[in-house]
Amino acid sequence: MMRQTINYFLSLMSFLIIFTSCSSAPVQTSESQLVYTYSKLKLLDLDQMGEIIQDKLRRFKKSGRETLIVEAISISLSRPNDDSVAEKLLDTIRHTIEAPVVWESSLGSVVQTSIDQLKNETVAPEDQVTYLIILENLVSEFKPQFIKQYQSPKFETRTIEKIAGAQIEVSESATAESRLNLMREQLSPSTLAQSLIIDRELKLNPKK
């Protein structure tokens, strides 16, 4: 009887140890899946970035494949934008596209992909930071139009509202990645977008 009790106790302890180790195991992240990450693009200047984008645009003109526009927009926004290169690249892309619907659908695809990937805990930290930068840069680029669209919300407003509503959280691994390679805290794009919405509301209704 005593031996059975001891065996039962040891089995129970083994189960608890295994269960605890499994439940507290850190989320495993995968290797980077992006060809152009923020860490690679931050080393390039305007001319080098322009060459990459022009190659995408040339191929788009020949094939009509909208995925090339999606790629071009993603790359333009993936680079830390301390020198305002993103605005120049996006202008080049937009002027190449004849149909506004292609611009909006392609940009919408970039936004949705970024949000989806940032909700996936297994995405590599380097990729997470890249997607965070994409949305951060987009919020910044859309800010002027967003401020003007208080009477007639358009694509820019809908995009800002979508990013705000996504309630994106910056993971610990992305925070560590950003601190190490960018020497700064990476803010949630949702927080940045929500701040724009609040600021515009306060300007329109200062008594609130």
Side-chain angles (χ1 to χ4, degrees):
M1 182 67 180
M2 180 64 111
R3 179 174 293 179
Q4 289 179 338
T5 302
I6 293 173
N7 288 338
Y8 173 78
F9 178 78
L10 291 175
S11 297
L12 179 61
M13 290 300 295
S14 298
F15 172 79
L16 290 174
I17 291 171
I18 292 172
F19 178 79
T20 303
S21 63
C22 290
S23 61
S24 61
V27 175
Q28 296 296 315
T29 56
S30 61
E31 296 295 324
S32 174
Q33 302 298 307
L34 295 174
V35 176
Y36 294 104
T37 62
Y38 82 93
S39 58
K40 295 176 182 176
L41 295 176
K42 72 176 183 177
L43 303 174
L44 306 184
D45 59 22
L46 175 60
D47 291 338
Q48 292 169 315
M49 291 291 294
E51 289 178 8
I52 296 173
I53 300 307
Q54 286 297 338
D55 176 65
K56 299 288 183 184
L57 296 179
R58 282 192 293 268
R59 290 162 59 191
F60 167 73
K61 290 177 180 178
K62 290 182 179 180
S63 66
R65 288 169 47 210
E66 291 184 22
T67 53
L68 292 166
I69 297 298
V70 173
E71 291 172 8
I73 293 173
S74 294
I75 294 168
S76 299
L77 293 169
S78 294
R79 180 179 178 275
N81 196 37
D82 300 326
D83 51 5
S84 302
V85 166
E87 180 181 1
K88 299 180 178 66
L89 297 174
L90 291 174
D91 283 345
T92 299
I93 297 169
R94 190 165 191 171
H95 291 151
T96 300
I97 306 171
E98 296 180 359
V101 67
V102 175
W103 166 256
E104 293 188 4
S105 64
S106 298
L107 221 156
S109 178
V110 171
V111 171
Q112 189 60 58
T113 297
S114 299
I115 291 173
D116 291 343
Q117 291 298 303
L118 288 168
K119 298 287 186 177
N120 183 351
E121 294 182 352
T122 65
V123 171
E126 186 177 8
D127 291 359
Q128 290 182 49
V129 174
T130 301
Y131 290 119
L132 288 167
I133 289 173
I134 287 174
L135 296 180
E136 176 187 336
N137 284 339
L138 192 57
V139 169
S140 177
E141 292 299 316
F142 275 12
K143 179 179 178 179
Q145 289 301 317
F146 171 79
I147 298 299
K148 297 175 183 177
Q149 292 174 6
Y150 60 91
Q151 290 183 330
S152 179
K154 296 180 180 178
F155 177 67
E156 289 80 5
T157 291
R158 295 195 301 271
T159 301
I160 294 294
E161 290 175 344
K162 182 172 185 176
I163 295 172
Q167 298 182 336
I168 296 165
E169 296 183 2
V170 182
S171 70
E172 291 183 5
S173 59
T175 297
E177 170 79 18
S178 183
R179 284 175 178 169
L180 178 64
N181 292 310
L182 293 176
M183 304 303 176
R184 66 180 173 94
E185 290 281 344
Q186 196 66 48
L187 297 177
S188 166
S190 295
T191 300
L192 297 173
Q194 188 61 43
S195 295
L196 279 187
I197 294 173
I198 294 172
D199 287 347
R200 187 174 73 175
E201 183 65 23
L202 289 175
K203 289 178 181 178
L204 295 176
N205 302 282
K207 294 183 180 181
K208 285 190 175 182

